[in-house]
Amino acid sequence: MTDVIIVGGGPVGLLLACELTLAGADALVLEATSGEDRKTRSLGLRSLNARTLRSLALRGLTGPLAEAQQAMLDELSGCGGSGDDVASGSSTQADVIALMVEAVQKGMIRGHFSGLPLLEPAGGAEYLMLKQHRLESVLAARAAELGVTVRQGCEVTEVTQDETGVAATLADGRVIRGSYLVGCDGGRSVVRKRSEFAFSGTPATMTGRTAEAELADPGAITSSLRGPRGLVNLSLVPGEIATIEFDGGPGDRDAPMTAPELQESLRRVTGIDVVVTRLETGIRYSDNTRHVDTYRRGRVLLAGDAAHVHSPIGGQGLNLGLQDALNLGWKLALVARGLAPDSLLGTYTAERHPVAARVLRNTRAQVALMRPGAQVDALREVLAEVLELPDARRHFAAMVEGTDVDYAPDAGPLVGRFVPPLGETTPVGPLSGHAQDAAFPPAGGLLADGRGLLVGAPGESWPGEAVAGYRDRVRAAVAQAVTDAGALLVRPDGYVAWAGGRDNLGETLATWFGPAR
């Protein structure tokens, strides 16, 4: 029986499998479709924000992701405008998409709020854009390096659990058992439905369509992030077209999109008699916004869109799901291996549910700001003025980047926040015989292998002694940057669990990593 069954082989499921494996658990990924099927539905571009990139940097993944982005950008063409236009803020809404490639390459993009760009004119911003199948390729390659088993063409139709484990029943009748099961199977999650998670929220008010299609006259329409009847976007990806209409949401989302359907949507939004001559593939989406009440029911857990759905406007959904995986992976591995108590899994909902609730709130606000109307026009103008204020711009940027996440807001300036730069960090004490030591040297730093990190000031030997019973779960190191803080205990996901002197360190280690061995 495997330790953890993961239902869904998209980015969240693949990253979770990597995290579980790094932490010593056995993970099996069941994906209903094939890789080629997923590629044909990889429409539009996905953004990776600063929080996600800093987290993935801990595992040495930002290099392969940057290479994948560059390979994609090399294939794109038609990027008009200049970086100077973006820096000055003089570009119109219709220019923003055309300028984005150059802005990303110059490190000027921090995201946007309802189409209002959040820029870093001096450069240095952390932001990547990828087609989803390219992101999945990078994560699948890392999963393969780690020895993760991924089975495609395995559709899960039923999930049951008892006191000893979870059973996933496949469409062909096979039953696969595991100690735990995580649903990473998207917004219409079978795992969530079969496990009876409450999923409340607000219904759809808009219909989005993105398609790979050809127009009889490609020059007849231009991108517009707002208009009196909706939105039209000629993607950076040649041949991709998107529309959004505020019409109450899509009807039958399972029915294949047709050329006439896209044509009529384009005509309604633009007021132009557009002719769609070919439609290769298309998807529909909405601003249906819902959230489970808990991320865990017994031995079944949820991550990503299976736990929370919302409008894609703002590009936060993928990042939210990847952060779920990073938060859950090491915790579930420790519990599944019997190294930490079951109570550790309670921190998953406690930490991630409020983060998602905040994202759902701001995506609802972004949809409201996209609606046609003179009142919304005025509101956008006022907000654009607010975003010219440096403090306001930093606030909104931190919100959409996820860099303002604080898992322990009452615990002081460091605990609960993502670890600050430590500078040169030197291991102390034996690095232990952890199986991943040889396979993963610290290309992503001392957290690259998925263990925690206790960091003291230079010249101190006690951190190595303090983690003597945790060698398989926590490293020890010293760094000049922690002299003022005293010491830091950093969780495998990069968040600070403890800071200060040596008081209560043993209790904190036991809370997050289980008893010493």
Side-chain angles (χ1 to χ4, degrees):
M1 184 168 69
T2 190
D3 290 331
V4 181
I5 299 169
I6 299 171
V7 181
V12 175
L14 290 171
L15 181 58
L16 177 60
C18 292
E19 291 295 292
L20 287 162
T21 305
L22 280 176
D26 179 31
L28 169 65
V29 179
L30 302 177
E31 166 56 36
T33 64
S34 69
E36 192 59 34
D37 289 337
R38 295 188 66 84
K39 184 175 180 179
T40 61
R41 295 180 61 81
S42 178
L43 298 174
L45 296 176
R46 304 291 184 267
S47 62
L48 297 180
N49 62 24
R51 168 54 64 244
T52 296
L53 290 173
R54 293 175 194 175
S55 298
L56 295 178
L58 301 178
R59 308 293 190 254
L61 283 167
T62 49
L65 290 170
E67 292 174 3
Q69 174 185 256
Q70 190 57 53
M72 181 196 73
L73 295 180
D74 288 344
E75 296 176 1
L76 302 180
S77 60
C79 301
S82 70
D84 292 338
D85 293 331
V86 176
S88 67
S90 63
S91 62
T92 66
Q93 288 179 321
D95 295 328
V96 171
I97 295 173
L99 297 172
M100 191 170 289
V101 168
E102 185 177 358
V104 167
Q105 290 174 323
K106 291 185 175 182
M108 298 163 62
I109 292 290
R110 297 183 69 180
H112 70 88
F113 192 84
S114 194
L116 298 171
L118 299 167
L119 304 176
E120 192 66 44
E126 299 165 87
Y127 190 84
L128 284 181
M129 292 192 307
L130 289 170
K131 297 282 285 182
Q132 182 161 314
H133 72 274
R134 291 181 181 270
L135 169 61
E136 290 178 1
S137 294
V138 171
L139 295 176
R142 176 53 56 90
E145 291 175 18
L146 291 169
V148 174
T149 299
V150 179
R151 298 182 186 172
Q152 295 183 338
C154 292
E155 179 186 358
V156 173
T157 58
E158 186 59 76
V159 174
T160 58
Q161 63 173 304
D162 55 34
E163 294 181 356
T164 63
V166 187
T169 302
L170 306 186
D172 61 9
R174 286 180 293 163
V175 176
I176 299 175
R177 285 189 60 82
S179 296
Y180 292 88
L181 182 146
V182 185
C184 301
D185 51 339
R188 290 183 278 180
S189 168
V190 170
V191 174
R192 184 188 66 240
K193 295 173 183 176
R194 297 294 183 266
S195 301
E196 299 182 345
F197 284 81
F199 197 45
S200 61
T202 53
T205 67
M206 72 178 208
T207 301
R209 295 177 176 86
T210 300
E212 181 181 338
E214 291 181 359
L215 305 182
D217 181 4
I221 59 175
T222 58
S223 293
S224 175
L225 294 184
R226 286 192 74 245
R229 292 170 296 275
L231 173 156
V232 61
N233 173 24
L234 302 178
S235 172
L236 290 172
V237 181
E240 288 191 2
I241 304 171
T243 64
I244 290 179
E245 298 179 76
F246 296 92
D247 58 359
D252 184 0
R253 289 185 57 181
D254 293 323
M257 190 184 299
T258 64
E261 177 186 344
L262 178 64
Q263 178 175 287
E264 290 306 310
S265 179
L266 284 166
R267 290 182 176 186
R268 287 191 297 268
V269 171
T270 66
I272 299 172
D273 289 334
V274 178
V275 176
V276 176
T277 57
R278 181 186 67 86
L279 187 143
E280 186 68 25
T281 186
I283 58 173
R284 303 178 190 86
Y285 52 90
S286 75
D287 62 332
N288 173 42
T289 303
R290 301 186 185 279
H291 198 186
V292 292
D293 58 344
T294 178
Y295 287 13
R296 179 194 181 194
R297 288 180 62 86
R299 293 178 174 270
V300 177
L301 301 99
L302 301 176
D305 289 351
H308 38 71
V309 295
H310 55 85
S311 160
I313 293 174
Q316 297 173 82
L318 171 62
N319 295 281
L320 189 61
L322 293 174
Q323 291 295 317
D324 287 347
L326 290 159
N327 185 285
L328 175 61
W330 63 279
K331 296 175 181 177
L332 182 53
L334 290 177
V335 174
R337 294 175 61 201
L339 298 177
D342 182 81
S343 58
L344 181 60
L345 292 180
T347 67
Y348 175 50
T349 294
E351 292 182 340
R352 294 305 298 167
H353 196 279
V355 174
R358 194 158 183 252
V359 170
L360 268 60
R361 183 186 71 169
N362 84 57
T363 55
R364 284 188 178 106
Q366 292 189 64
V367 171
L369 282 166
M370 297 294 289
R371 298 187 189 285
Q375 288 80 7
V376 177
D377 292 343
L379 183 58
R380 291 180 67 86
E381 290 173 6
V382 170
L383 183 57
E385 293 175 2
V386 170
L387 292 177
E388 290 298 316
L389 302 174
D391 286 347
R393 186 165 60 248
R394 281 191 292 270
H395 171 80
F396 276 81
M399 179 170 60
V400 302
E401 287 179 327
T403 52
D404 63 352
V405 170
D406 187 347
Y407 290 144
D410 299 324
L414 286 173
V415 176
R417 301 300 298 260
F418 197 75
V419 60
L422 296 175
E424 184 176 350
T425 307
T426 305
V428 295
L431 295 182
S432 89
H434 192 278
Q436 297 303 331
D437 281 344
F440 281 92
L446 292 177
L447 292 164
D449 65 358
R451 275 181 282 177
L453 182 67
L454 177 63
V455 190
E460 296 181 337
S461 61
W462 69 266
E465 300 166 0
V467 300
Y470 291 91
R471 292 297 183 187
D472 58 337
R473 288 160 279 173
V474 185
R475 288 178 179 269
V478 295
Q480 186 69 43
V482 302
T483 300
D484 294 337
L488 296 176
L489 177 62
V490 185
R491 305 179 342 182
D493 58 356
Y495 285 81
V496 177
W498 169 92
R502 299 172 64 174
D503 295 340
N504 301 321
L505 175 57
E507 180 182 346
T508 305
L509 280 166
T511 296
W512 293 107
F513 297 98
R517 295 204 299 183

